[in-house]
Amino acid sequence: MSFRTDLAIEAIENTGTSAALPHIRQCKRVLEGFAVTETHILTAQAAHETGKPRGRYHTLVLDALLRREQDAFPRACRALSALLAELLPADAARAPILIAGLGNRMITPDALGPQAADHVIATRHLIEQEPVLFDTWRPVSTLAPGVLGQTGVETGELLCGVLDRIRPAAVLAVDALAAGRLSHLLHTVQLTDTGITPGSGVGNARTALNCETLGIPVIAIGVPTVVDGASLAHEITHQMNGAQCEALTDLAQPVMVTTRDIDREIADIARVIGYAIDLALHPHLSIEEIDFYLS
């Protein structure tokens, strides 16, 4: 049974060797009342040991949002926005940005990216048409390219065609991930400057989207929406000191586990991500103003 995860914090915990640890830096802090783990994978050796590319990873745990506390939504938006601002290219404060909502809108656990893109204010066309009215806005474009099975075109190919036309300074890619532990489902957000590989969460990895393949920085925003059955069985057997049974063996087959309230939870977290992107790209906006422009 194998352990598979898209979360850097889980990959590091599950490495099973101390060889990579001197080449990984981690620190914890609290932002708007939410726990944040900052991880830097510094060397190729550490990347090999963990299976995660070199770069920065911010992991935000939105427990209060899951509990639906009264002020959790605005706090979550501000916290995620602040982390995103830290990863955006510092030398391109007003440059165009492309938001890519990756995934299949028709499959709920994979609909995070398209739904998040629905909450992003697209401004590129407005700035071109009314430059005086929108002179304080950053040019933002959004795209939900679908998946290969729907379009017959690789996501990377579609993005390259769009990049040639709009020339953004960076791509923000939003996608669903796979976790190794149920405790991280749908309230853990990972932001990274290493890019993303669409489809990797469900074992159908496509061409990676990163600075090497697209030629510009790619910031990935991901939320685990499923746990792979084999990873779940791996965790259970580990906690049971290697005990085996038929039910755990069955979990080693291609099975994806998600939550009962997946529809509501995807809608909630997608809205947080969309609003956080709006706040990070347009710091002059308030959440109430974002509500107005999206209505």
Side-chain angles (χ1 to χ4, degrees):
M1 297 179 187
S2 61
F3 184 87
R4 184 164 60 84
T5 179
D6 292 321
L7 296 179
I9 56 172
E10 290 185 346
I12 293 168
E13 292 172 0
N14 197 62
T15 296
T17 174
S18 61
L21 297 182
H23 307 287
I24 295 173
R25 293 179 183 169
Q26 281 190 313
C27 65
K28 298 181 184 295
R29 58 172 163 146
V30 176
L31 196 58
E32 294 284 346
F34 299 108
V36 178
T37 301
E38 298 181 13
T39 303
H40 287 206
I41 297 179
L42 302 172
T43 65
Q45 178 186 357
H48 175 73
E49 293 286 349
T50 61
K52 301 302 171 191
R54 292 173 60 181
R56 294 180 293 171
Y57 298 81
H58 293 335
T59 307
L60 177 67
V61 181
L62 301 176
D63 289 324
L65 188 70
L66 193 67
R67 296 192 297 267
R68 304 182 73 81
E69 293 181 5
Q70 185 174 1
D71 63 341
F73 176 75
R75 289 195 291 115
C77 292
R78 291 192 297 266
L80 189 55
S81 171
L83 293 176
L84 179 56
E86 293 176 9
L87 296 179
L88 286 168
D91 57 349
R94 297 290 299 277
I97 298 291
L98 173 64
I99 313 302
L102 308 180
N104 188 341
R105 192 184 291 271
M106 305 304 295
I107 301 175
T108 304
D110 198 33
L112 176 73
Q115 289 195 28
D118 291 342
H119 296 290
V120 175
I121 303 172
T123 59
R124 177 173 175 265
H125 61 302
L126 299 175
I127 295 169
E128 291 178 350
Q129 294 169 6
E130 299 288 348
V132 176
L133 292 177
F134 293 95
D135 64 337
T136 61
W137 295 68
R138 182 200 290 259
V140 175
S141 306
T142 68
L143 178 68
V147 294
L148 180 64
Q150 294 173 317
T151 65
V153 184
E154 288 278 6
T155 300
E157 294 173 334
L158 284 169
L159 288 181
C160 285
V162 174
L163 296 181
D164 287 341
R165 297 290 298 180
I166 67 174
R167 306 287 183 181
V171 173
L172 304 187
V174 184
D175 201 5
L177 306 178
R181 299 180 177 91
L182 290 172
S183 59
H184 288 140
L185 279 186
L186 289 157
H187 67 290
T188 301
V189 185
Q190 176 176 274
L191 301 91
T192 177
D193 61 3
T194 64
I196 197 166
T197 302
S200 62
V202 292
N204 186 31
R206 316 308 303 175
T207 303
L209 306 177
N210 52 40
C211 191
E212 288 71 30
T213 60
L214 298 184
I216 59 175
V218 178
I219 299 169
I221 306 171
V223 176
T225 63
V226 295
V227 172
D228 178 56
S231 298
L232 184 58
H234 176 279
E235 278 296 283
I236 295 172
T237 56
H238 176 73
Q239 293 182 23
M240 296 174 61
N241 296 318
Q244 298 286 337
C245 69
E246 183 178 350
L248 291 179
T249 303
D250 290 341
L251 275 177
Q253 304 303 314
V255 173
M256 292 293 168
V257 180
T258 191
T259 67
R260 180 182 61 184
D261 298 325
I262 183 68
D263 299 75
R264 174 182 59 80
E265 291 170 338
I266 285 286
D268 288 347
I269 196 67
R271 184 166 176 251
V272 169
I273 292 173
Y275 276 54
I277 291 173
D278 291 328
L279 291 174
L281 300 183
H282 309 293
H284 63 282
L285 290 180
S286 66
I287 289 178
E288 292 74 22
E289 288 172 323
I290 295 173
D291 282 331
F292 171 78
Y293 284 110
L294 291 175
S295 62

